[in-house]
Amino acid sequence: MISSAKEASCRQCRQAGEKLFLKGARCRTPKCAVEQRTQTPGQHGKKGGAKRLSEYGRQLREKQKVKLMYGVIEEQFRRFFDLSVRQKGATGENLLSLLERRLDNVVFRLKMAISRKQARQMIVHGLVTVNAKRVKSPSYVMAIGDVVTFTLGTLENKEFVENVIDKRINMGIKVPEWLELQKKERKGIVLRLPVRADVGAPIEEHLIVEHYSK
């Protein structure tokens, strides 16, 4: 039986009607609740999560889905949106690029953590460094050339390195092309800014832009 916290994550994915990868490796297995159950949460859930929503409802659901996926609260999400508006290019794509460059997401994408939630815990506990400096803010935005790794104390803990870090890094999951993972050194480098194609997830970012533009 999975814990109540895990059940909550599963309900969020089922409500969205798709995998949000809130629980990392489990989401890639047949144990994933989205694959096991075709109904949305609740006694009267509809198959496939299909609901007739208004345009506003679609916009709100898409925003909530992305917030859950990246693990950000409304205040943080709105701040990232406002930043994306001031940048050149399409606002929706700018927003996703900023979210991808969050430190917790970068740690997750580099396979240094099995989920974004776990990545946030590692960062808050001071296990992660950026350019040789400890960073405890999961929302820290990475730039081109930034190097992320673990603190010296963390890397000197051989049992933790072998049983936790190396097991994650050696998972058979592809690292996005905008990042480079150096397994032996247990570090990652930001090669370029992520573009829309790097996100991969089925997100209709234009709905989020429309939501905030009202």
Side-chain angles (χ1 to χ4, degrees):
M1 180 178 292
I2 60 178
S3 67
S4 58
K6 290 183 177 181
E7 288 175 344
S9 296
C10 291
R11 284 198 299 269
Q12 290 170 341
C13 289
R14 286 169 50 213
Q15 189 67 55
E18 59 190 79
K19 295 185 181 185
L20 303 181
F21 295 95
L22 302 179
K23 288 158 47 181
R26 183 185 178 92
C27 300
R28 303 177 188 276
T29 70
K31 294 182 180 179
C32 173
V34 173
E35 294 190 9
Q36 289 185 336
R37 303 181 67 173
T38 59
Q39 293 183 329
T40 54
Q43 183 178 359
H44 304 291
K46 296 181 180 180
K47 288 188 176 181
K51 290 184 178 180
R52 179 167 293 182
L53 292 175
S54 64
E55 188 63 21
Y56 175 80
R58 291 181 61 227
Q59 295 167 2
L60 183 61
R61 184 176 66 177
E62 198 67 14
K63 183 190 75 168
Q64 294 299 103
K65 180 182 78 175
V66 177
K67 283 169 56 181
L68 284 171
M69 183 181 301
Y70 286 97
V72 297
I73 61 176
E74 177 63 28
E75 183 180 357
Q76 295 172 327
F77 196 79
R78 183 60 196 244
R79 180 169 63 86
F80 275 91
F81 179 81
D82 290 341
L83 287 172
S84 68
V85 171
R86 295 195 290 269
Q87 294 179 340
K88 293 182 179 179
T91 298
E93 294 183 10
N94 292 340
L95 173 62
L96 294 181
S97 179
L98 284 169
L99 291 169
E100 280 289 306
R101 288 160 54 200
R102 281 175 55 101
L103 179 56
D104 55 358
N105 182 73
V106 171
V107 171
F108 167 64
R109 293 291 197 190
L110 285 168
K111 303 191 297 184
M112 293 176 172
I114 60 173
S115 67
R116 293 181 181 91
K117 181 178 180 180
Q118 187 179 72
R120 286 192 292 276
Q121 293 173 338
M122 294 166 59
I123 295 165
V124 170
H125 289 144
L127 305 185
V128 176
T129 67
V130 177
N131 301 329
K133 294 182 179 180
R134 184 176 298 180
V135 176
K136 291 188 176 183
S137 173
S139 62
Y140 178 89
V141 178
M142 302 284 283
I144 296 174
D146 280 352
V147 178
V148 59
T149 185
F150 298 95
T151 62
L152 182 59
T154 302
L155 293 175
E156 288 179 343
N157 186 335
K158 292 184 179 180
E159 183 177 356
F160 183 79
V161 169
E162 293 177 1
N163 297 327
V164 181
I165 296 177
D166 286 351
K167 280 189 176 181
R168 295 170 185 156
I169 288 178
N170 290 315
M171 290 188 297
I173 302 171
K174 185 179 180 181
V175 172
E177 294 180 357
W178 61 283
L179 297 171
E180 178 185 339
L181 171 63
Q182 298 182 0
K183 291 185 178 181
K184 290 184 178 180
E185 290 77 17
R186 301 177 182 89
K187 70 179 181 181
I189 303 172
V190 179
L191 300 177
R192 60 171 172 81
L193 299 183
V195 296
R196 179 63 183 87
D198 294 316
V199 177
I203 297 172
E204 295 183 81
E205 62 272 16
H206 67 93
L207 293 176
I208 301 173
V209 176
E210 292 169 4
H211 174 78
Y212 280 123
S213 299
K214 290 184 176 181

